[in-house]
Structure formats: C-alpha cells, structure tokens
Amino acid sequence: MRTQSLWEHTLTFFPQFLAALKERVAPEGTVAVIGAADGRLVLPLAAAGYRVIAFERDPQALHGGEVRLPGDVNVRALGLIGRLKSEGLDDRVQVIDEDFLDADRLDTLCDAVWTSCSWHYSANHHRPLAEFVARMQLLVPPGGLFGAEFMMPVDQHHHQIEHYTSPEKLSRRFTSAWTVLLTLRTGEFTERAHVGRLQDHTHRMGLLLAARTPN
C-alpha cells in the first residue's frame, strides 16, 4: 500500500488468517472486517481481490484528521475512506458506519469474518463477549471462515474483564457446528509506542481460526 496505516508496525496474526482465506475462499469472495480502523487489514484484502464489508464507527478512523504520535508529534492522517480512495479500492469495500453490536444489516452472509483486537476496547465492554462472538458467527455460512486476534490479560485488572480472553476459553464458544483450525498465543512482549498508546507497553495476544462445518 502506498498510504501507510497508523497501525502499520503493530503485531498481527493476519498472515495466518490470509493463508487460510486463500485456501478456503475463492477470489471475489466477501470478507467482513469488524473494527476496520483506518484500513490496515481492509486494504490488503481488497487489493487481493476480495470484496470487503468494513464495520467501523470511530469518526477519526473513518475520515482521518490530526493525530498525535509518539514523540509529541502531530500529523494529519488519512482515514479508512481516504485511504481506499487513494488506493483506488473504494469500489471493493462497503463501509458500515455503525456499532457492530447494534448493526441491523447482518442479513448478508460473508465467506469469512475477521476482527483484530477490537472487543477488548472498553467501548465494547457493555455487552458480553459471547454476544460479540455470536454475532460474528452469524455472518459465516457453512464452509465459511471465522478469524479473530485478541488481547490476552497482562495486568491484574485484565483478569476481571472477560473480553481479555485466551484461545482455550474462546474455543468453548464454538460448538460441533464448527471446526477450530488453529489457535496461537504469544508470551508477553513489548510493543513500541503508537497512536493511542504513546509509551511502549506490554501485550499478550491470541489467535483463533475456525471453519463452519459444511452442510
């Protein structure tokens, strides 16, 4: 991508999801991305030939604007919509400016669904994690792919919040109608400061990929 995401250098398991997607979903398939941010993972999907439904409700993530970066630096950044237009990919992406947990346009099945570290944000803590996961699962037809990377607890208070979960706990939310394909987890690691977290900080992350059983 010629335009760079504000999240470009943060750790992601997206390559594992993309590999599974290429195995299971034909080109021109549809992928829903929950918590699209400024398009860090949306644009590569669209560039690879997929059609994308991008859920994002943060105005700055959608439209860009002035942001503060580490080192007390202010820059003007493109948001998701601007980056899509700049890359000529806006015709492949449907942007839904709604809270995913309240969106009423969940009647279109997708070939795959993906979220990257979205449900641990405090704005999503007013609803159970089970509801978030179940709504994602509803988007996936038989034979389709579910992918999520997520924050695992590090600090003591994280253990009191179910949205900081683990691959083992998350796997329990997938019944016999699903096959868990892959789970991964990191140990604690230090991530460099980035927009929204202006100091170096410690994370643990997990990944779960699952396929809905074909009919």
Side-chain angles (χ1 to χ4, degrees):
M1 300 292 103
R2 295 185 300 274
T3 63
Q4 191 172 62
S5 167
L6 291 172
W7 309 98
E8 199 71 32
H9 302 296
T10 56
L11 179 70
T12 180
F13 287 117
F14 181 71
Q16 285 85 351
F17 172 74
L18 188 58
L21 190 65
K22 289 178 178 178
E23 284 184 6
R24 294 173 173 271
V25 176
E28 294 291 322
T30 300
V31 183
V33 177
I34 316 304
D38 68 357
R40 176 197 180 192
L41 306 178
V42 170
L43 271 71
L45 287 169
Y50 298 101
R51 298 198 172 274
V52 184
I53 301 173
F55 286 86
E56 180 53 63
R57 61 173 173 161
D58 180 78
Q60 189 173 66
L62 286 170
H63 304 290
E66 188 171 282
V67 297
R68 187 181 178 199
L69 298 180
D72 203 21
V73 175
N74 290 328
V75 300
R76 188 161 190 84
L78 284 175
L80 171 62
I81 293 171
R83 293 188 70 221
L84 288 170
K85 289 180 179 177
S86 177
E87 300 289 345
L89 295 170
D90 47 316
D91 63 334
R92 303 198 65 81
V93 180
Q94 177 188 3
V95 177
I96 297 182
D97 180 6
E98 291 183 47
D99 184 339
F100 173 66
L101 292 173
D102 293 320
D104 57 7
R105 284 177 281 181
L106 295 181
D107 54 349
T108 301
L109 292 179
C110 302
D111 298 290
V113 63
W114 168 257
T115 192
S116 174
C117 301
S118 57
W119 60 53
H120 79 280
Y121 283 104
S122 58
N124 292 316
H125 291 180
H126 65 294
R127 306 273 275 276
L129 176 58
E131 182 177 349
F132 199 116
V133 175
R135 284 176 73 83
M136 286 182 63
Q137 290 173 331
L138 283 174
L139 291 172
V140 182
L145 181 66
F146 176 109
E149 60 183 5
F150 44 89
M151 294 300 181
M152 298 173 60
V154 175
D155 299 330
Q156 184 59 41
H157 76 278
H158 291 162
H159 292 275
Q160 310 306 314
I161 303 171
E162 66 165 345
H163 300 73
Y164 289 86
T165 188
S166 69
E168 294 77 19
K169 289 180 179 179
L170 191 60
S171 293
R172 298 171 197 157
R173 304 190 184 279
F174 290 80
T175 66
S176 58
W178 293 85
T179 300
V180 175
L181 303 173
L182 177 66
T183 62
L184 295 173
R185 59 194 297 154
T186 71
E188 290 189 11
F189 65 95
T190 299
E191 190 161 73
R192 287 162 35 197
H194 55 72
V195 61
R197 294 292 299 271
L198 299 179
Q199 304 294 329
D200 291 355
H201 47 284
T202 302
H203 283 319
R204 286 198 302 156
M205 286 177 60
L207 168 75
L208 184 141
L209 300 180
R212 187 181 284 278
T213 306
N215 286 336

